[in-house]
Amino acid sequence: MHEVKRVTILGATGTIGKQTLDVIARHPDKFSVFALTANASADVLFEQCRQYLPRYAVLLDESAAESLRQQLLAAGSQTQVLWGISALEFVSAHPEVDVVMAAIVGAAGLKPAMAAAHAGKRILLANKETLVMSGGLFMNAVEQGGASLLPIDSEHNAIFQVMPEARTRHLGESGIRRILLTASGGPFRNTSAMDLEKVTPRQALNHPNWVMGPKITIDSATLMNKGLEVIEAHWLFNAGPEQIEVVVHPQSVIHSMVEYVDGSVLAQLGNPDMRTPIAFALGYPERLESGVPSLDFFTIGKFDFEAPDMVKFPCLRLAFDSLRTGGTAPAILNAANEVAVAAFLNERIGFTDIPRMIESALEQSDIQPASSLDSVIEADRQARLLANAWMDKH
Ligand code: NAD
Ligand code: MG
């Protein structure tokens, strides 16, 4: 690693990307920005390039990249503009890069994260969809590429923080009985099943505790986010579905817990602010100032806990089921969910249609072993077709 770590941020214009830049800006002696990437937000990326002076700026979209190139040229910037998926892989695997923040949303994040794994980078993984789709392949790539993987998802980051230093690949050997994954319960925790039918995108986008991108905010409302996180925990910590328990904790202050065989339960607490896990992973093993204020216990007052309702929120059950099924089932779940969330946000389907559409895609799919990246990408493609076909029929 270089003295000053060079960082590529995939998804720099998103919620996680911006918070990563906020933490990096607090430590100019420790980090420099090598590359910033986005889908098509040329204007936001332009402002970020002006402030952080990356060597590369990458957009997925060609015409957005052309507009960014013109803007940067006019401003006399040295930043080079690239576009397309192979450019995303290029800045993830570049020999001069030390750290890759993988914060693209959805299946689109898979290939660049994989490139970082093969190239042996320190990967800060926010893009949980990569592990959901291809956890086995990705963990192998991390190991074979000599990469190191630090979870950014607040729950997994919490678990990582309270696991023993010398963690093994087997929970039992580390003295761990189970993982307690906390969940806020989302904005509809107390909404009746009947009222859930009529929920609007605007209501669903109003998360009680966290400010996040639209896709993960809807996932939090359906509890699919927790389902994806169960699968993520399975791959990160080698935990079976029976060793992962979801605990609804509406305050979102305990970010997750690990229970040991002696009955001890260790938890990580903090304000619900993603700059804590981001700073933890950037600095690891050193602790860095993140800008997150102290936790005020007297304002919080109390902690509540309840069991998740998998009947009212079938997405969580579907995720557990697809983890048990294995193979390409989680990739199908993920792809159908992406189609369903986009359709809900465009008001083409109702809130409670989201799990219906996913379940139908899973039932109609021919589940295969997830033996290669191609098989996973093909399962993703088929599931999107099935999900779209469901929409045409309903
Ligand atoms: P966001 O929607 O705010 O940002 C997404 C970023 O990805 C943007 O920069 C966008 O330009 C880029 N992007 C989108 N589609 C792309 C494509 N096809 N190709 C290349 N780039 C693309 O999302 P977010 O809330 O920052 O979440 C990012 C990831 O982090 C997600 O996987 C999410 O589940 C995970 N995560 C987010 C939070 C949070 O607090 N926001 C917490 C935990 C995990
Ligand atoms: Mg999370």
Side-chain angles (χ1 to χ4, degrees), residues 98-113:
D98 302 300
V99 178
V100 175
M101 165 55 86
I104 291 174
V105 61
L110 174 59
K111 282 185 172 172

Side-chain angles (χ1 to χ4, degrees), residues 262-308:
D262 61 5
S264 296
V265 177
L266 300 194
Q268 186 261 359
L269 285 67
N271 282 312
D273 187 321
M274 291 304 291
R275 290 176 301 175
T276 295
I278 291 167
F280 175 87
L282 277 170
Y284 185 77
E286 196 191 332
R287 293 276 179 176
L288 301 180
E289 175 64 55
S290 67
V292 177
S294 292
L295 194 56
D296 182 350
F297 282 92
F298 305 120
T299 303
I300 299 160
K302 62 176 183 149
F303 289 162
D304 294 307
F305 304 101
E306 57 190 61

